[in-house]
Amino acid sequence: MSQRTEHVLQQFKDCIPLLEVLTDENRQAIIMLLAQNKSGMNVNAIASHIDLSRPAVSHHLKVLKQSGFITSEKKGVENYYVLTVRKPLEQLKALITAVEAECNGSQ
């Protein structure tokens, strides 16, 4: 296996957690909701827009935060969640670029 192929396979492995996060429709809905509310939202506000309980929303927010899709900021007693997809998107873009290069190189 070539070094370039091994590099692409490693990028696939690195992106698996991100892709797993994105497979959930509730997390997709939360990402889109936060994309529309740039100043951030708390758990209650998010739960009011999505047909999930507050604990379920909190779980999805935890997963999104751990994967780098969102950050939180404490305002008073509430956490407000903000979309910060830069790092995950950079990883996914790098994977796409590597796959394209590999495919174009093998033609």
Side-chain angles (χ1 to χ4, degrees):
M1 191 176 311
S2 76
Q3 187 175 6
R4 191 167 85 174
T5 299
E6 287 180 18
H7 175 71
V8 173
L9 291 173
Q10 184 60 49
Q11 285 187 300
F12 269 117
K13 287 180 187 174
D14 293 344
C15 286
I16 287 172
L18 301 176
L19 297 170
E20 288 174 343
V21 166
L22 293 174
T23 62
D24 187 278
E25 291 179 11
N26 293 310
R27 289 192 283 269
Q28 294 168 11
I30 291 169
I31 287 171
M32 296 312 298
L33 187 60
L34 291 174
Q36 296 167 0
N37 294 278
K38 306 272 190 250
S39 61
M41 298 176 75
N42 65 19
V43 174
N44 290 328
I46 294 168
S48 72
H49 287 86
I50 296 176
D51 191 24
L52 290 175
S53 68
R54 188 180 189 284
V57 170
S58 291
H59 167 73
H60 288 297
L61 290 169
K62 178 183 175 185
V63 172
L64 287 166
K65 188 174 179 181
Q66 289 173 338
S67 62
F69 282 97
I70 66 172
T71 60
S72 65
E73 179 182 319
K74 193 114 174 140
K75 295 181 183 176
V77 296
E78 292 284 338
N79 282 316
Y80 281 77
Y81 296 89
V82 178
L83 192 64
T84 55
V85 297
R86 190 179 57 107
K87 184 179 176 193
L89 287 181
E90 286 174 0
Q91 283 182 269
L92 294 170
K93 286 178 184 178
L95 172 63
I96 291 167
T97 300
V99 169
E100 285 178 333
E102 185 70 15
C103 290
N104 289 336
S106 63
Q107 292 180 0

